[in-house]
Amino acid sequence: MTPENKAKYEAKEKRVRDAIALREPDQIPIKPSPAIFPVLDAGYTVAESIYDETLAKYKEAIWKYHHTFEPDAGIGVGNNFAGQGIIMEMSGTKNMCWAGMPGAKIDDNSIQQHIEYPILLDDEFEQFWSDRTGWSLTKALPRVSSLFDDFTGMNLQYSMGGTRSAVASFSKPEVREAMKKIWALQDKYMEFDKKAAAFAQEVEEDGYPIFTGGGAGVPFDAYSDGLRGTINSLADIYERPEDVERYIEEAQEQTLAMIRAGKGKGDGKFIFMALHKGMDGFMSDDTYEKYYWRHLQEIIETIIEVGKVPYIFTEGKYNTRLKFLKDVPKGKVYYHFETVDMAEAKKELGDVACIAGGLSVKIMNFGTPQEVADETKRLIDICAPGGGFIFEPSCGLDYCSHANVEAMFDTVRTYGKH
């Protein structure tokens, strides 16, 4: 890293760290999630980026984004699936669509679309609790990936006769072919991971700190997103509460163990958590506290204990949850809001946690540059006094115009100086 880039890196990093610690930095840090905006702004389609295994198109887009707007955080490969088109085809995924996929199910400039459906069915709970491996291999995996279609009839039961039946199941011609595909896919993943790590290093050497250091999730979200689906999971709170509670307590232990295992690695990095099912209207306060908040609170505290920063991305409305969110260690947590009264968020959390978000994607997508500038100033006036504020739009920039993104950055840089 050159001395110039090192100075830039340190200034950006300090700006963000100061805001999280509730101090006033030299200027308000700005670090939006650019999502697919850089790709579109560089003149490429999302499909082109996804199917460019060299990452050349995506890299060009990110360099342009960084050098044009100078955000206070760098972007690596991220979660836009750049360079992973062939990998996703090889994975045989059934619960996601992506730009450029065979069959053109979505537009070439669409973000990925996840398809939610129950993975754990009503009549499978007994097997789920008694034989998790068998259920995963013969039921769950075939429902989300065609790679495992031929695993559905496998007999994995141990008997006193030895391993003959299991060996026979794994040795079927179709299962052998599936295993070859699985091994080839793993090789592809490892190859991609090396490219992604090298690109992240390039970004940081160019003077842009990458704060992301992993992820975690609330157990109820895992139950809802990954097993039962939204409707079933909410019904299960009333119809099978013992199963819900048993799962979320089991998942909580695993989540905390995973976080603690990362102690001493990537100190100061952010652990990202998207809150999917805790929004206003999904649960009463009592239900939220029992099934959601007490786990989230413990995860937040554990992340802090291992020397990292909880970056909590609240999806949907979160006005009624603010009273819970303030019960965390002071100056250690970073909350992003998609839809919330930012004045109330500042009032409730301003002396406890750093806040971000609130700039409506509607204004960013359909407003004029002047409207973007005016709303940016309004949010700064509300949230910046006393520190503890990082400027971010409510969600990813995605389809915003270049002019509106420029207006947002320019306003923060000029109006947001302390």
Side-chain angles (χ1 to χ4, degrees), residues 28 342-343 345-346 350 355-357 377-390 418:
I28 295 169
M342 292 300 284
K346 181 68 174 181
I355 62 174
K377 290 178 181 178
R378 187 186 75 84
L379 285 169
I380 289 173
D381 288 342
I382 291 170
C383 301
F389 178 54
I390 293 174
H418 283 296

Side-chain angles (χ1 to χ4, degrees), residues 23 48 107 114 118-119 141 161 177 215 227 273 322 345 362:
R23 298 188 290 266
E48 286 177 307
D107 187 83
H114 290 272
I119 306 302
L141 289 171
E177 288 304 309
L227 292 177
M273 294 182 67
L322 296 175
K362 179 180 178 181

Side-chain angles (χ1 to χ4, degrees), residues 161-339:
T163 61
R164 183 66 184 268
S165 62
V167 170
S169 287
F170 277 106
S171 299
K172 291 178 179 180
E174 60 271 25
V175 174
R176 291 188 184 206
E177 288 304 309
M179 292 303 299
K180 291 177 183 178
K181 293 178 182 178
I182 290 168
W183 297 332
L185 177 58
Q186 175 63 5
D187 290 342
K188 272 287 189 183
Y189 274 128
M190 293 176 68
E191 179 186 330
F192 174 80
D193 288 346
K194 289 180 181 178
K195 293 178 186 176
F199 179 46
Q201 185 174 348
E202 288 180 52
V203 169
E204 293 214 309
E205 288 178 353
D206 198 37
Y208 300 88
I210 294 178
F211 293 95
T212 304
V218 177
F220 185 83
D221 283 341
Y223 181 83
S224 183
D225 297 346
L227 292 177
R228 294 286 285 159
T230 302
I231 301 300
N232 286 333
S233 65
L234 294 174
D236 286 350
I237 290 174
Y238 303 97
E239 295 176 356
R240 51 172 79 244
E242 297 86 359
D243 287 313
V244 178
E245 291 176 38
R246 182 177 175 182
Y247 175 82
I248 61 180
E249 293 307 322
E250 174 190 282
Q252 181 74 349
E253 290 182 14
Q254 295 170 352
T255 299
L256 298 179
M258 176 194 71
I259 294 168
R260 289 172 180 139
K263 186 173 183 179
K265 305 171 187 176
D267 289 352
K269 292 285 189 178
F270 296 173
I271 301 298
F272 178 79
M273 294 182 67
L275 308 186
H276 293 162
K277 304 294 167 65
M279 64 188 72
D280 294 354
F282 264 51
M283 304 175 181
S284 68
D285 279 357
D286 288 345
T287 304
Y288 177 79
E289 185 167 20
K290 179 178 181 180
Y291 288 93
Y292 207 94
W293 170 247
R294 65 188 179 89
H295 299 99
L296 174 57
Q297 184 183 39
E298 188 177 20
I299 292 169
I300 287 172
E301 291 172 347
T302 304
I303 292 171
I304 294 169
E305 286 172 9
V306 301
K308 297 181 175 66
V309 177
Y311 178 19
I312 313 300
F313 194 109
T314 68
E315 296 190 4
K317 292 184 178 180
Y318 240 76
N319 292 308
T320 67
R321 310 305 190 198
L322 296 175
K323 58 181 176 286
F324 294 99
L325 299 184
K326 66 182 179 182
D327 192 10
V328 294
K330 182 177 180 179
K332 302 290 185 180
V333 183
Y334 175 12
Y335 289 121
H336 173 105
F337 294 104
E338 181 181 6
T339 307

